[in-house]
Amino acid sequence: MSARANFDHNLKELKEMLLTMAHKSELQIKEAMIALLNQDMDKAKKVIDGDNEIDDLDDDINNKALLLIARESPVATDLRKISVALRVSSEVERLADIAVNIAKSALHIGNQEYFKEMIDIPKMMEIALEMVSESITAYYSEDIEMAKKCAKKDDEVDKMFGDLVHELLSYIPQNPNATNQIIQLAFVCRFIERIADHSTNIAENVIYLVTGKRVNLNA
């Protein structure tokens, strides 16, 4: 195998590792949300315990990327690919951290009956998870249009976040016994909003990967 072919093979392996990590993080978010909705304490604890596996993958990706830089002396375009992989890996690791935070909120709420039916938060999460999927697909296929499609949904999530938190906090005076629950649900809304932000960051890195230009898709 030529030096170039070997380098391309290693780059592909790096991308595959990142895709695996992204899928695991996405699953963690889904499981955390299920734990919250079903008030499943065992599932919430499992999400928290599963974070170490994703942290290990992040370490493996970072080590492989640094070895590629040290051993191969990549040219500008290749260096950009490695740099973006490191950035995307960092965003994906933060997505997994958010799953843990949602699971912790589920534990804080415990088995206390929800003071109102959980409808809007799952809808907000559905859009955020679409963004996760689209951003990772855009990265893997280097699809600028998919990246832009993902980022356009960020404003919708931001608006839902503002509306939901305002609504939730307004319930506290009438439901003082549910104050802890309401505060935790407001935190969950914030966590979901951050999922959308990290997905947008990945989308921005896709555009940089393909064009070499930095863009702000939230502008």
Side-chain angles (χ1 to χ4, degrees):
M1 185 182 293
S2 69
R4 180 69 234 181
N6 183 62
F7 183 75
D8 288 340
H9 175 74
N10 281 316
L11 273 181
K12 185 178 180 182
E13 278 191 347
L14 187 65
K15 213 169 187 179
E16 295 289 347
M17 290 167 68
L18 192 41
L19 187 65
T20 297
M21 181 184 171
H23 284 162
K24 287 182 181 294
S25 292
E26 188 176 359
L27 180 60
Q28 282 278 87
I29 294 169
K30 291 177 180 177
E31 290 291 284
M33 195 64 187
I34 291 170
L36 179 74
L37 295 176
N38 296 339
Q39 296 184 290
D40 187 333
M41 302 301 105
D42 289 337
K43 189 178 286 291
K45 291 172 184 175
K46 187 176 179 181
V47 168
I48 294 168
D49 292 341
D51 190 52
N52 288 335
E53 182 182 356
I54 293 172
D55 287 342
D56 289 344
L57 275 169
D58 185 41
D59 288 341
D60 291 344
I61 288 167
N62 276 269
N63 290 335
K64 188 173 183 65
L66 293 174
L67 279 173
L68 274 173
I69 293 171
R71 291 177 178 175
E72 305 293 342
S73 300
V75 296
T77 302
D78 293 329
L79 190 59
R80 188 163 75 232
K81 290 180 180 180
I82 297 171
S83 170
V84 167
L86 288 170
R87 288 173 179 270
V88 172
S89 177
S90 176
E91 299 292 345
V92 170
E93 192 273 334
R94 290 172 187 170
L95 290 174
D97 287 344
I98 289 173
V100 169
N101 289 337
I102 293 172
K104 287 180 178 178
S105 285
L107 292 177
H108 282 302
I109 292 170
N111 294 314
Q112 181 188 25
E113 183 179 353
Y114 284 124
F115 76 100
K116 69 185 293 287
E117 190 176 358
M118 293 277 278
I119 296 174
D120 295 325
I121 290 177
K123 286 181 180 177
M124 185 180 175
M125 178 61 92
E126 184 179 348
I127 298 169
L129 281 170
E130 285 175 3
M131 293 180 68
V132 173
S133 180
E134 287 170 357
S135 67
I136 295 303
T137 299
Y139 168 70
Y140 191 75
S141 58
E142 300 184 10
D143 186 335
I144 290 178
E145 293 309 312
M146 177 69 77
K148 290 178 179 178
K149 177 185 175 184
C150 163
K152 283 180 180 178
K153 295 178 180 178
D154 190 49
D155 288 342
E156 184 178 358
V157 174
D158 285 344
K159 185 178 186 307
M160 292 182 78
F161 166 63
D163 291 346
L164 276 172
V165 169
H166 182 269
E167 179 187 348
L168 282 166
L169 296 181
S170 74
Y171 288 124
I172 291 178
Q174 294 80 31
N175 301 272
N177 292 335
T179 298
N180 172 66
Q181 180 189 127
I182 292 169
I183 295 298
Q184 290 300 325
L185 291 176
F187 284 156
V188 169
C189 290
R190 174 59 174 162
F191 299 146
I192 297 172
E193 191 267 341
R194 291 300 298 153
I195 290 171
D197 285 346
H198 289 304
S199 299
T200 301
N201 290 345
I202 292 171
E204 289 175 351
N205 275 289
V206 172
I207 294 176
Y208 173 66
L209 172 64
V210 177
T211 67
K213 296 178 180 177
R214 293 283 181 197
V215 294
N216 182 359
L217 294 175
N218 277 320

